[in-house]
Amino acid sequence: PALGRQQQQRGGDALFRGSRGAAASGAGVCKGSAADPWNYIDGGFSWNAGECCLGGGQSPVNLTAVDGDESPLNAKIFYGYPALSQPVSMLNDGHMLSVELGPHTGGFAMGSLYPDILTSRWSVWKIAIHVPSEHTFQGVRAPLELQLFHRRKGNKRENPAPGDVAVVSVGYTYGGRRSKLLDALKKGGLPLEPGSRQESSQQLDFSEFFGLGLMGSDGGNRSGKFWQYEGSLTAPPCSRGIQWVVRHDALSASTDSLEAFKEAIAALTPVAQAEVGNARKLQSACGRKLTLRSTSDVTPQMQFEPRKENGGFQAAVAEALADQKKFAAAMSPEPPKLYKECLDRLAGAAKDLGVAKSHQHNACKAGAEAEAKVKTVQPGLSRVRTVEQYKGNMAKCETASAVIASLAKELSGGKARCASLKGEKPKPKDEQPVFGSLSGALSALDPSRLLR
């Protein structure tokens, strides 16, 4: 709404306000304040507050354009994030979607041996969501970036100093595997009006940050590892000294989840902004150094503050589990859990593939129509606009084609993997049932048929 978009351009971002109010001296000193109106119309180019104008040491960056070294084997990221079952509240602050978390939801540490030899320890604090991603993942921006803000362990200030802030960041792209975290965050709807909140009682599990990447991706031996570098906040006051820990390769999420977050960000995007989004433009990578770190799950070893569980939520979960057990007892023995999850992933990939094919058809058709129109329009403003429409539609066409290729690869390799998870040995072709069993249903998910 127009009124909401006007409101969202007044006042600083509550998530970041107050970290550091004035810029350092020297060239490019900012003359504004953190309370000045700001937005993403030009990707942050015109921001004139805090340290946004300094140029050096800012985030985000194109990670592929920065010098990077792999850390020694004894320098790791040790993480522990127990599933959070307390209700959380997502805020639309006019610039982004954010969630403030309780003090017991985990964190990470860096060092060579946990818990004896560590260089730093961090406690999770807040979530911030950007569409599209601010950082690049394997050289390209992903449809969404989820940033998990941490404070140095022991620091509980609402606005900690930049040196006491670290951000674990992960990109999400289209793929057959659903993101349980994004699904949980969007359950029940997302806040669309600036200043509004949306409550959620879904369990949040951040451990997927460190799990498998997109099936068929070319992440190589860097897949699942994280780049660490020192940068800044990506919104005013752009305070420097922030530790960034960014996953090398993006994770996959379903089309419906990614589109839901894009729709929510579109609702807070100013009318004058050409592209939907709340991502700051890439900053100079000059003089930066990245360190690639491997990870280790130490959740059982981490000491967390006492957890205050929500009694009503726990009772509802217990009741649902009891009903599930009763239903299962009345049915025939179910197949292995991993096998069922694999089938669900394949079904999700098949559904997303159909959506992607529809998007590809519409975008490519619109591009072809714009191309034909360019030849008939006289030189001038109308022709410039038509050319821009053509470029935009062809870019969407290429993106949809890439999504289709990725999903097709996931489907192609998924059938054999699902069968192996069930423990089945391949049957002779003439003995395989067509339907009547889960194996038959799996056979029906033929990637070549879906791509016709």
Side-chain angles (χ1 to χ4, degrees), residues 290-309:
L290 274 70
T291 302
L292 186 66
R293 294 182 180 271
S294 57
T295 63
S296 178
D297 185 2
V298 295
T299 302
Q301 300 169 257
M302 275 196 170
Q303 299 297 314
F304 300 102
E305 296 183 22
R307 303 178 66 177
K308 298 178 182 178
E309 301 290 356

Side-chain angles (χ1 to χ4, degrees), residues 81-86 103-106 203-204 299 304-310 313-314:
Y81 296 94
L84 173 64
S85 57
Q86 283 185 301
H104 60 272
T105 46
Q203 285 199 355
L204 303 181
T299 302
F304 300 102
E305 296 183 22
R307 303 178 66 177
K308 298 178 182 178
E309 301 290 356
N310 180 283
F313 178 76
Q314 292 300 319

Side-chain angles (χ1 to χ4, degrees), residues 72-281:
L73 294 177
N74 63 347
K76 284 187 173 183
I77 296 171
F78 299 99
Y79 67 91
Y81 296 94
L84 173 64
S85 57
Q86 283 185 301
V88 296
S89 176
M90 180 176 290
L91 169 68
N92 177 334
D93 67 6
H95 297 99
M96 66 190 69
L97 303 180
S98 62
V99 179
E100 187 159 352
L101 304 169
H104 60 272
T105 46
F108 73 98
M110 289 190 282
S112 55
L113 179 66
Y114 189 88
D116 301 316
I117 306 176
L118 301 174
T119 57
S120 60
R121 299 184 69 172
W122 308 87
S123 299
V124 69
W125 168 34
K126 295 180 179 180
I127 299 171
I129 295 172
H130 294 267
V131 174
S133 72
E134 297 196 297
H135 289 86
T136 58
F137 298 86
Q138 294 178 260
V140 297
R141 277 187 149 162
L144 181 147
E145 181 173 341
L146 194 152
Q147 298 171 354
L148 200 56
F149 279 73
H150 296 70
R151 293 178 284 209
R152 195 175 295 277
K153 192 168 181 64
N155 187 329
K156 297 182 180 180
R157 293 179 58 191
E158 182 179 352
N159 292 301
D164 287 333
V165 177
V167 188
V168 176
S169 187
V170 172
Y172 284 90
T173 189
Y174 297 98
R177 184 187 301 119
R178 300 189 71 89
S179 163
K180 292 182 179 180
L181 179 57
L182 293 186
D183 287 350
L185 286 171
K186 78 176 182 68
K187 189 77 171 180
L190 298 171
L192 301 181
E193 294 289 337
S196 65
R197 291 181 178 271
Q198 181 67 44
E199 305 294 325
S200 173
S201 295
Q202 300 296 307
Q203 285 199 355
L204 303 181
D205 186 357
F206 301 111
S207 62
E208 77 173 35
F209 273 27
F210 308 90
L212 295 174
L214 187 68
M215 290 173 63
S217 72
D218 57 354
N221 61 2
R222 292 180 170 180
S223 179
K225 295 182 179 180
F226 286 74
W227 291 105
Q228 179 201 356
Y229 80 97
E230 184 173 308
S232 73
L233 295 176
T234 60
C238 309
S239 305
R240 297 179 296 177
I242 308 296
Q243 290 297 319
W244 283 92
V245 183
V246 185
R247 180 168 170 137
H248 172 73
D249 53 324
L251 296 174
S252 65
S254 62
T255 299
D256 61 289
S257 286
L258 292 173
E259 291 300 316
F261 282 100
K262 183 176 181 180
E263 180 182 347
I265 297 301
L268 56 82
T269 299
V271 176
Q273 189 168 319
E275 298 291 337
V276 169
N278 64 338
R280 188 186 190 188
K281 69 184 183 69

